[in-house]
């Protein structure tokens, strides 16, 4: 196994031997070729819960220097999104809109970073169980 190395102040590259590939392999072959889905979650008992389709994802995206957008996706389709959006806008004192996505369904988009407030709203109003909500984004 060889590696190309470029010196600090040099424009030339040299080839160094760094050993073999044995530290990447095990007896049965490559280690990372397991049949486990990395996107499945495991609960406290060790059983696989399922794929991410059942979770509600709350994300924040930085739009520019100080402006951020909070999105909430994966909510149940039986929900009246207009009423939920109106209640969130009133409670958080921000503007928001509903987006239709062919893969994600209906997405609630709010101006500002309101991840924890949206989490509290969804869990207190019993729209979604707290363990089914995942918060993503900038910390």
């Amino acid at each position: 196994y060889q590696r190309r190395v470029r010196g600090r102040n040099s424009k030339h590259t040299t080839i160094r031997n760094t050993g073999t590939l044995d530290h990447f392999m095990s007896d049965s072959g490559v280690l990372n070729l397991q049949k486990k889905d990395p996107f499945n979650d495991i609960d406290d008992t060790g059983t696989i819960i399922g794929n991410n389709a059942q979770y509600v994802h709350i994300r924040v995206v930085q739009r520019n220097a100080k402006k951020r957008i909070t999105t909430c996706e994966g909510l149940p389709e039986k929900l009246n999104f207009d009423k939920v959006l109106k209640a969130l806008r009133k409670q958080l004192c921000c503007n928001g809109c509903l987006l239709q996505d062919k893969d994600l369904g209906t997405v609630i988009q709010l101006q500002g970073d309101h991840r924890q407030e949206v989490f509290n709203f969804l869990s207190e109003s019993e729209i979604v169980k707290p363990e089914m909500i995942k918060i993503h984004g900038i910390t």
Side-chain angles (χ1 to χ4, degrees):
Y1 179 48
Q2 296 179 343
R3 187 178 85 168
R4 290 181 180 240
V5 179
R6 185 174 164 179
R8 252 202 255 185
N9 298 326
S10 172
K11 294 181 182 179
H12 300 74
T13 59
T14 58
I15 297 175
R16 292 185 186 167
N17 286 331
T18 57
T20 62
L21 293 174
D22 291 338
H23 60 280
F24 293 115
M25 304 288 276
S26 69
D27 295 336
S28 63
V30 180
L31 290 176
N32 63 352
L33 294 178
Q34 300 168 354
K35 292 185 179 182
K36 180 184 156 224
D37 187 7
F39 296 106
N40 284 340
D41 285 333
I42 299 174
D43 63 358
D44 297 335
T45 62
T47 59
I48 296 175
I49 294 174
N51 39 353
N52 289 333
Q54 60 190 359
Y55 287 106
V56 174
H57 297 277
I58 301 172
R59 293 184 170 89
V60 66
V61 178
Q62 191 156 357
R63 201 168 49 104
N64 57 19
K66 293 183 180 180
K67 308 294 182 183
R68 294 184 179 168
I69 295 173
T70 303
T71 60
C72 182
E73 59 195 42
L75 290 168
E77 290 298 323
K78 62 180 179 161
L79 200 63
N80 188 347
F81 289 101
D82 292 325
K83 285 187 178 182
V84 172
L85 177 64
K86 187 173 182 179
L88 280 170
R89 286 172 50 183
K90 197 168 199 173
Q91 182 178 347
L92 302 175
C93 300
C94 68
N95 199 5
C97 66
L98 294 174
L99 302 174
Q100 294 294 330
D101 189 73
K102 62 181 179 179
D103 296 331
L104 303 173
T106 305
V107 178
I108 296 176
Q109 187 176 22
L110 300 167
Q111 292 179 355
D113 186 3
H114 301 290
R115 287 173 290 175
Q116 194 61 45
E117 292 88 351
V118 172
F119 174 82
N120 293 338
F121 176 81
L122 292 174
S123 60
E124 288 172 3
S125 60
E126 297 178 356
I127 295 173
V128 182
K129 294 178 183 177
E131 58 267 7
M132 300 308 288
I133 301 174
K134 293 195 173 194
I135 299 177
H136 307 279
I138 305 164
T139 56

